[in-house]
Structure formats: C-alpha cells, structure tokens
Amino acid sequence: MNLDDIRKNIDDIDGQLLDLLSARADLVHQVGEVKKRDGLQIYAPAREEALLRRLIERNKGRLPEKSIRAIYREIMSAALALEDDLKIAYLGPEGSWTHQAAIKKFGHSVNYTALPNFAEVFDQVARRRADYGVVPIENSTEGAVSHTLDLFVDSPLQICAQILLRIENCLMADIPREQIKTLYSHPQALAQCRGWILRHFPNADTVDVSSTTRAAQLAKENSAQGAAAIGSPAAAEMYGLTVLEESIQDRATNTTRFLVIGEKTCPQTGNDRTSLLFAIHDRPGSLVRALQAFDQFHVNMSKIESRPSKRKDWEYIFYVDLSGHCEDPMVKNGIEELEKHCSMVKLLGSYPDAGE
C-alpha cells in the first residue's frame, strides 16, 4: 500500500470517528436533560473512572493507557460542556500547577475561573458561582497543604474526586545562568527544590511569592536585577522565559495530590477513599481510643494530620484518610465507633481512589 492509499484510509477513519463522536454527543445531550430533570449532578467522577478502566481493559491496539486517558479526557470534557455550562474554580493564576491539575481532570472544553486564594475557591463553589473547585491537599515531598485542611472545618463542601499530578519544576530566566542572583517561586516549589538550590545557587536570595506563575512574571520583569524563577514549563512559556534546567526537584517522583470539591460526594466504585475530620475529648487516652475504632473494624487509615482547631488553645482537629467508601459496612461501623470517642466527627466525602 502506498502513502496516498494509507492517507485515504486515515481520512475515511477520521470521517467515521467524527460521525461517531456526533452520535455520542447527541446521547450525552439526552443524559444532560435527564440529569437536569431528576436533579442529578452533571459531573460523575465514578462513572468517568469506570469508563476509562473499561476502555483500558478493552484496548488491544498500539495506544498506551496514558494516551487513551488523554483522548477520552477531552471527549468527556466536550460532553460536560454539552450537558451544562460547567464552571471550575481553581487556585490561580492561569498556568499554575492547580490549573494544570484542573485541566487534567476536566479537559479544555469547560469554563475555568482563576482565584487568588484557597478561601475564594471554597466560597465560589459554596455560593454556586462555580460548580466545582480544585485545590491542592498534599505533596509527596513537603506533606500537607494546611490552608486547605483548615477550610474544610467550617465548609459545607464535599470531596468528590482527587487528582495526582507529577510536579517537575524547572529553572527559568530571561538572563544567562551565571547572572542569576534571586530565585522567585511559591514556598512549596522552593521547598521541593531545596537541595538543588543549595548545590547550584547557595548564595542566591530566595523569595516566596503567591504562585509559580507569579514567579515567572517577576523573573521577566526583574531580569535586569538578576531575577530567575522556579516553576512549571507552562509558566516559562507564558512569560517568554528560557528553561535553563529541567526537572530540578529533589525527588524524581515529586507528586501533588489535588481535590475536587463540590456540593455532593461520590457513590461507591469498589476502589474508594474516605476523608474525614474529628476532634477528641480532652481526656487521657482519647486519641488512642478514637483510632482503635478503625483497627476494630479492620479499616486501613492511610493518612492522619493534626491541625490547631483555632477555637481553643492547644485543641486539635485531626484529618484522616481511610481506605474504602463511607457506605462500606466496615468503614461505616468504624466511623460510628469513632463518634463515641470524639467531640466532633465530620465526613468530608468518599471518592474514587485514583488519580490517573
């Protein structure tokens, strides 16, 4: 078969694909109408993950799992845009790691709103000015994002999905490497690259800024004073900076977990995670007895973080991740037992334990 014949076959397949996508779009529109009529959520992360798993298991061709997920992410993004004018709030600015995580989950076809801080993201979703919000919750190198944990205490919002994003920071500047005197970045990014900075720029000043995108902007504006930035390649491209060195984070597997927050949590998928907050009575052994509730019902606790309650000195609230869904019998029993030993238990949601 010659090149012209191969290209003709490709053109024919493209035509068939377009027809099939149009037929799928018609069905998606019908789904959206039913959901609106019955008061159901437009976004269904459990359904999406089940669809992706089924497609990956069915795949017998050359496309790797990563490519299948990327292709169907955009197909599903277009479907969400058809079902409703979906609005996603995220910790901005545009080009930030949180923005990239949001695109990874929702694709490019929905509407995005960049917000200046965590509280604004929670507020916009709670006021229904955005359908969902995306915020970071923890980094594999630097641990929990405390601002997000604190906001859950008083927020009515639920966790409905998570996103795992590999973070590969780079050194970017509009000047030669030897002229760099100051490094701008978000505190988390600076911490993730602490060892690299000490080895390569031990005498440089490090300056905390609100985001890696803002760092890139400052590096551009202050290049004459020896400014550079640490952040994502997307931020470098946005401000016309040169990437002087890639992947400078201290750990090659540096990953941040992000949460999708909304009004409702997610139904069971068979592979779920449950997050909750609890506060204990101020009595000896209270924390031990509280945690024994999970051991008693063989529930795996994959994470625990303590935060000051900010209501009373030396009083703490604990954030916990459990394996399983809150409707699973053992998890449900464990939470009921926990409530006997706590002054407060707040379920934050159950959601698919997957991050693509």
Side-chain angles (χ1 to χ4, degrees):
M1 186 179 293
N2 60 38
L3 186 59
D4 288 339
D5 291 336
I6 295 172
R7 286 174 172 167
K8 183 179 183 306
N9 287 342
I10 290 173
D11 290 343
D12 290 342
I13 291 171
D14 285 339
Q16 294 172 39
L17 285 173
L18 183 59
D19 290 341
L20 290 170
L21 288 172
S22 296
R24 190 183 193 279
D26 290 338
L27 293 172
V28 164
H29 178 72
Q30 295 177 37
V31 168
E33 292 299 313
V34 172
K35 285 182 176 179
K36 289 177 183 177
R37 183 194 68 199
D38 296 344
L40 302 174
Q41 287 196 105
I42 295 297
Y43 176 56
R47 159 71 180 164
E48 285 193 357
E49 187 58 32
L51 170 62
L52 290 168
R53 287 182 192 170
R54 187 168 66 250
L55 290 169
I56 290 163
E57 289 172 1
R58 181 178 175 179
N59 178 37
K60 305 297 181 185
R62 295 178 182 273
L63 288 175
E65 177 179 339
K66 181 179 179 181
S67 297
I68 292 171
R69 284 185 175 273
I71 291 166
Y72 270 85
R73 169 54 50 221
E74 293 306 321
I75 290 173
M76 291 187 288
S77 178
L80 286 171
L82 284 173
E83 288 185 49
D84 195 14
D85 187 21
L86 206 68
K87 297 180 179 66
I88 311 299
Y90 68 92
L91 180 67
E94 184 179 352
S96 66
W97 286 117
T98 309
H99 186 206
Q100 294 178 54
I103 291 172
K104 181 179 179 181
K105 174 57 71 175
F106 292 98
H108 289 83
S109 296
V110 301
N111 297 311
Y112 290 100
T113 301
L115 295 170
N117 55 60
F118 296 91
E120 281 291 310
V121 176
F122 275 76
D123 184 67
Q124 290 294 298
V125 179
R127 293 178 186 274
R128 298 185 177 179
R129 293 172 183 165
D131 297 285
Y132 298 95
V134 177
V135 290
I137 186 65
E138 65 175 331
N139 175 263
S140 60
T141 301
E142 287 302 302
V145 180
S146 58
H147 297 302
T148 303
L149 295 178
D150 292 342
L151 286 164
F152 274 118
V153 175
D154 296 314
S155 174
L157 299 179
Q158 298 268 291
I159 303 169
C160 54
Q162 69 174 1
I163 310 154
L164 299 180
L165 186 69
R166 182 67 62 85
I167 306 297
E168 295 195 358
N169 291 304
C170 67
L171 174 69
M172 64 188 86
D174 204 26
I175 54 176
R177 188 179 180 123
E178 59 272 15
Q179 295 180 16
I180 294 173
K181 299 176 182 177
T182 304
L183 296 171
Y184 290 96
S185 197
H186 186 276
Q188 279 267 340
L190 290 173
Q192 292 162 20
C193 304
R194 186 181 294 114
W196 184 91
I197 294 170
L198 289 173
R199 289 194 304 274
H200 296 275
F201 292 93
N203 299 316
D205 294 325
T206 57
V207 180
D208 293 354
V209 295
S210 58
S211 70
T212 53
T213 309
R214 174 64 176 156
Q217 182 183 2
L218 289 169
K220 185 73 173 182
E221 293 173 354
N222 300 312
S223 59
Q225 288 76 47
I230 289 175
S232 71
E237 183 178 354
M238 185 176 296
Y239 287 97
L241 299 174
T242 300
V243 174
L244 300 177
E245 188 168 342
E246 298 178 337
S247 195
I248 64 172
Q249 64 280 353
D250 294 334
R251 293 185 59 193
T253 57
N254 185 37
T255 300
T256 296
R257 184 164 73 104
F258 298 83
L259 298 178
V260 178
I261 53 175
E263 290 187 327
K264 298 179 181 178
T265 192
C266 190
Q268 292 164 289
T269 68
N271 180 35
D272 301 299
R273 178 187 294 226
T274 294
S275 297
L276 55 87
L277 296 171
F278 69 86
I280 56 175
H281 298 294
D282 187 16
R283 293 197 292 264
S286 292
L287 180 58
V288 172
R289 286 190 290 272
L291 297 180
Q292 284 174 341
F294 303 126
D295 181 60
Q296 179 180 342
F297 291 97
H298 307 289
V299 177
N300 181 44
M301 184 174 64
S302 57
K303 173 184 175 67
I304 182 169
E305 293 279 347
S306 65
R307 294 291 301 154
S309 71
K310 300 186 179 180
R311 296 173 179 174
K312 181 181 177 183
D313 288 347
W314 315 119
E315 180 180 75
Y316 295 89
I317 290 175
F318 297 88
Y319 174 100
V320 170
D321 281 352
L322 307 173
S323 297
H325 194 279
C326 62
E327 293 300 322
D328 294 344
M330 300 301 277
V331 176
K332 189 173 184 178
N333 290 338
I335 294 173
E336 289 175 356
E337 180 65 23
L338 175 69
E339 290 172 340
K340 298 176 183 177
H341 307 284
C342 296
S343 58
M344 179 273 287
V345 175
K346 182 178 182 181
L347 181 66
L348 301 182
S350 295
Y351 46 97
D353 193 11
E356 303 181 20

